[in-house]
Amino acid sequence: TVTNGDSGKVKGAELTLSWLLPSGFGFAGNVTITDSEARFGNIAGELEDVTPLSVNVSALYERGPLSAKVTYSYDKRRTVQLDGVVQGLSVLADEYNDLSFSASFDITRNLELFVEGSNLLDESIRHFNTHRNVPAFYEENGRSFFVGVRGRL
């Protein structure tokens, strides 16, 4: 039998804005704020994998054969697992910042050249057991860059 928890509640709001000018320049962004609570046995905390604050902001350009976008994303510290590896301690994820970009150029109607970059801030993913000095998980991905050609039939 799998139990997700005894109880949980989440409330939140999201604000989204997107704007594209006739010149091809534009902006897109959203902010999501949540407040959650959960209970699993004697352990109480935030609902698992519900970020209390998430922000995404993009500057973009789309005109003719050229398309480009730079995006910044932020996720506040969140609960990953209410009842973690160490009994009685929740697993929490550190805040995460991400900066990425993508650009493409249409060579023909069916052929596109592209370049992409992600994790440009070289962020690591860090989880810990309630206290920062009790680590649970660490992942170092580094920056990623891709260059390629896409074809459409």
Side-chain angles (χ1 to χ4, degrees):
T1 303
V2 176
T3 304
N4 285 338
D6 298 331
S7 65
K9 294 180 185 178
V10 63
K11 293 184 245 177
E14 182 172 31
L15 175 65
T16 300
L17 175 68
S18 61
W19 183 31
L20 187 61
L21 298 170
S23 64
F25 287 99
F27 167 85
N30 68 36
V31 175
T32 304
I33 299 170
T34 61
D35 181 30
S36 69
E37 54 187 61
R39 177 166 293 286
F40 187 78
N42 293 329
I43 303 169
E46 294 177 338
L47 197 60
E48 294 177 356
D49 284 323
V50 176
T51 303
L53 175 65
S54 177
V55 178
N56 300 287
V57 179
S58 296
L60 55 105
Y61 178 81
E62 288 190 24
R63 189 163 188 182
L66 184 61
S67 175
K69 180 168 72 169
V70 176
T71 301
Y72 170 76
S73 300
Y74 168 80
D75 284 321
K76 190 174 180 178
R77 185 169 83 181
R78 65 177 167 45
T79 300
V80 175
Q81 194 174 355
L82 198 54
D83 186 19
V85 179
V86 179
Q87 187 174 3
L89 299 181
S90 297
V91 176
L92 305 177
D94 252 349
E95 67 179 25
Y96 188 79
N97 295 278
D98 183 61
L99 182 65
S100 62
F101 78 90
S102 64
S104 64
F105 183 80
D106 292 332
I107 299 167
T108 68
R109 272 186 54 209
N110 299 328
L111 198 60
E112 172 187 77
L113 179 64
F114 72 90
V115 61
E116 297 174 352
S118 61
N119 195 20
L120 299 179
L121 300 174
D122 200 20
E123 283 279 299
S124 301
I125 298 170
R126 295 175 298 277
H127 297 177
F128 52 93
N129 294 285
T130 301
H131 311 287
R132 293 193 52 75
N133 64 340
V134 187
F137 176 83
Y138 181 83
E139 184 175 345
E140 178 94 28
N141 290 318
R143 296 176 182 95
S144 299
F145 299 95
F146 303 94
V147 176
V149 177
R150 288 188 189 107
R152 294 185 278 279
L153 299 176

